[in-house]
Amino acid sequence: MPSKEILVFSYYTNVPGVCQAEWVDDRMNAFIEKGYMVTIISCTYSFPHQHEKIKHIKVPALSPHGAAYEYNEIKDKKVPVAPGFSYFYTWLMHHLNKLLQRMHLNSGEGRWSWFISAFIAAMMQVRNKRNLAFIYSTGGPPSADLAAILIGKLFQKKVIVEFQDPLSGEDIGRSKFSARGLRFFEKIIIRWATVVIYCTRSAMEFARHQYPAYQSKIDYVYPGSKPSSTDEVQEFAIENAEPQPAVNISYLGSLYQTRNLDTLMKAIDELMSEGIKPNIQINIYGVMNTDIRERITKFQHPGYFILHGHVSRGQAIKKARQADVLLLVQHTDMRSKTTIPFKLYDYLHSGNLIWGLIYRNSEIEQLLTSHGHLACQADDIKTIKDVIIRISEYKQGLESSILPSSLTPAKAIDKMIELLKLD
């Protein structure tokens, strides 16, 4: 019978509105439901966990830029902090970073330096945990994964590393140098981890092809999300009892780079020029790049896009319940082939119709259509127009085919434990 204690490395946790944090928080709650005690090491601007079965250790990045970023996040998010080294260090680095910026001597995201502080904190924990069952890393930044595999090797503990997004592949990496660096670290992590899981089957297949010597330890697990309770569903249904004049299409999440609504705007514009006025309204909840915001606000047909700004995950789930159709949007570049937006799992549990603007991703298409939802290519204007007309005129009929989802964090954990082959 394995020990019921695990160590988790995740730069993000309990940070409202950050999907990487929501991802690991769902997973920790599922571990707790299965009887595990959890120790998690995270960045300093995470809100402290209050659950009695979660020991939360927050450590700063060591670089001036990285620690200063965390200090600013603590201030912006009003994260409660206790006096101590971590807060003093981030405050000190905040002021040092200002000086370095004036001297043009500081740049970079600073996540790599968090590896050192996370590693030191983990050593202090693991040496007192002889019955630790295993180590689980779900980064965000790969610095968390590096700290996890090094601790696993030093203390001979099994390590399962989960890549929320692949580190290598087409259109991944900000530059050629960045792409090479990420692939280098990906290979190290795969080599030294006990098990590596990706979050799509296509990403797993790509990694197995890239690293054939380690393909037996590479797998995939859909993360899933926790379904809303019956009380929540009833509450949302009551609030949404009044009929809406237009079909409420809601998008929840970020928009940046090639994940945008340009083709949707073009499709609406073409329909209007053809004398067809779609009976829809697209509500957007989340952050977006300035250029995308400008294109939406300057759209020549006012009233179709309503910007609501950032909302918490709880509010997002509530808005999802109130929508008629939930919009999923992928990047229109090749990184979309091997990734699945995390919000899809919350969408699937909403019970609402989902419309996916996907890009060369047969896996998402299969997940959507097998649950009775709609999918089309994000760059296919003609099909987007056809879907807009179908939703405008026949939404009620489309809803009848929706099937419930069984993709949950608990199911993901069962597969993770199976892959680890715990004695």
Side-chain angles (χ1 to χ4, degrees):
M1 183 72 179
S3 167
K4 287 289 188 178
E5 194 167 0
I6 62 170
L7 175 64
V8 177
F9 287 84
S10 179
Y11 183 81
Y12 302 103
T13 183
N14 208 21
V15 182
V18 176
C19 69
Q20 298 99 319
E22 295 165 357
W23 185 307
V24 69
D25 295 344
D26 277 2
R27 201 65 61 84
M28 287 197 304
N29 288 332
F31 275 120
I32 290 169
E33 289 173 2
K34 290 183 179 293
Y36 285 88
M37 298 283 291
V38 177
T39 297
I40 184 166
I41 299 175
S42 80
C43 69
T44 54
Y45 64 88
S46 300
F47 282 80
H49 283 282
Q50 303 297 332
H51 199 290
E52 61 181 6
K53 292 189 176 181
I54 298 177
K55 182 176 183 180
H56 188 183
I57 300 167
K58 302 195 292 182
V59 295
L62 294 186
S63 73
H65 182 79
Y69 173 81
E70 294 184 14
Y71 176 83
N72 290 329
E73 288 294 297
I74 289 170
K75 291 297 184 183
D76 290 345
K77 298 183 185 324
K78 297 180 173 56
V79 179
V81 292
F85 170 76
S86 289
Y87 183 68
F88 170 75
Y89 185 82
T90 56
W91 173 85
L92 180 64
M93 291 301 103
H94 166 72
H95 292 285
L96 176 59
N97 187 60
K98 282 186 173 181
L99 175 62
L100 293 173
Q101 285 178 332
R102 285 197 292 268
M103 299 170 66
H104 304 285
L105 293 176
N106 198 28
S107 63
E109 295 187 2
R111 303 295 190 272
W112 291 108
S113 67
W114 184 79
F115 153 77
I116 301 171
S117 46
F119 172 75
I120 293 170
M123 283 193 65
M124 303 295 290
Q125 293 299 310
V126 177
R127 68 181 186 178
N128 297 321
K129 296 182 183 296
R130 295 180 181 177
N131 296 321
L132 188 70
F134 61 91
I135 297 168
Y136 164 49
S137 173
T138 181
S143 51
D145 306 323
L146 291 175
I149 61 174
L150 186 53
I151 288 293
K153 286 296 177 185
L154 285 176
F155 292 94
Q156 297 183 323
K157 299 294 183 181
K158 290 187 174 183
V159 179
I160 185 164
V161 171
E162 175 182 58
F163 290 126
Q164 294 185 3
D165 285 314
L167 296 187
S168 65
E170 296 178 89
D171 292 325
I172 293 176
R174 298 183 179 182
S175 64
K176 289 184 178 180
F177 177 78
S178 171
R180 290 194 193 102
L182 289 172
R183 183 174 179 183
F184 171 77
F185 285 110
E186 184 178 50
K187 186 173 182 179
I188 289 176
I189 292 165
I190 291 173
R191 178 179 179 181
W192 293 110
T194 311
V195 174
V196 172
I197 57 173
Y198 290 84
C199 298
T200 67
R201 183 180 61 252
S202 53
M204 174 200 72
E205 291 169 350
F206 180 84
R208 285 180 174 179
H209 177 73
Q210 293 292 106
Y211 311 109
Y214 309 113
Q215 61 179 298
S216 63
K217 64 166 67 177
I218 300 171
D219 217 303
Y220 80 102
V221 177
Y222 291 139
S225 68
K226 185 177 180 180
S228 300
S229 69
T230 303
D231 290 342
E232 289 173 322
V233 174
Q234 290 175 345
E235 175 190 348
F236 299 146
I238 291 170
E239 290 188 3
N240 198 34
E242 292 296 323
Q244 301 297 315
V247 176
N248 175 353
I249 300 175
S250 291
Y251 175 79
L252 302 110
S254 59
L255 293 171
Y256 62 100
Q257 296 175 353
T258 62
R259 181 195 287 168
N260 55 55
L261 303 180
D262 290 0
T263 54
L264 186 54
M265 287 190 285
K266 183 173 176 56
I268 292 172
D269 183 50
E270 288 191 7
L271 286 171
M272 295 288 285
S273 67
E274 295 165 9
I276 301 171
K277 186 176 181 181
N279 183 37
I280 61 173
Q281 184 178 79
I282 298 102
N283 292 280
I284 305 169
Y285 302 90
V287 297
M288 65 185 70
N289 283 5
T290 302
D291 61 318
I292 295 175
R293 179 180 294 275
E294 288 180 356
R295 294 200 296 274
I296 292 173
T297 55
K298 292 178 180 178
F299 185 53
Q300 60 265 45
H301 307 292
Y304 276 103
F305 294 89
I306 310 297
L307 306 183
H308 298 275
H310 179 265
V311 296
S312 69
R313 188 186 187 186
Q315 290 173 313
I317 292 174
K318 184 174 182 178
K319 296 300 181 183
R321 290 288 181 187
Q322 295 171 342
D324 297 310
V325 180
L326 296 172
L327 184 65
L328 186 79
V329 182
Q330 282 199 289
H331 288 279
T332 51
D333 57 47
M334 299 315 289
R335 81 185 91 172
S336 292
K337 286 177 62 178
T338 56
T339 59
I340 295 177
F342 180 59
K343 69 176 71 65
L344 173 60
Y345 302 103
D346 282 338
Y347 278 12
L348 287 170
H349 289 304
S350 72
N352 286 29
L353 182 66
I354 303 168
W355 176 21
L357 291 178
I358 65 175
Y359 191 77
R360 313 301 187 261
N361 192 314
S362 59
E363 199 165 351
I364 295 183
E365 184 175 7
Q366 191 276 330
L367 280 171
L368 287 172
T369 57
S370 67
H371 285 86
H373 302 288
L374 304 173
C376 65
Q377 295 300 311
D379 59 347
D380 185 348
I381 303 296
K382 183 181 183 305
T383 305
I384 292 173
K385 289 162 61 178
D386 291 342
V387 173
I388 290 173
I389 293 170
R390 288 178 67 194
I391 289 174
S392 297
E393 298 179 356
Y394 309 112
K395 188 191 74 69
Q396 298 297 328
L398 295 172
E399 287 178 341
S400 62
S401 62
I402 296 174
L403 298 175
S405 170
S406 63
L407 298 172
T408 64
K411 189 172 181 179
I413 283 174
D414 288 340
K415 186 172 180 180
M416 288 166 60
I417 292 173
E418 177 187 336
L419 291 170
L420 277 172
K421 297 180 172 63
L422 298 177
D423 296 328

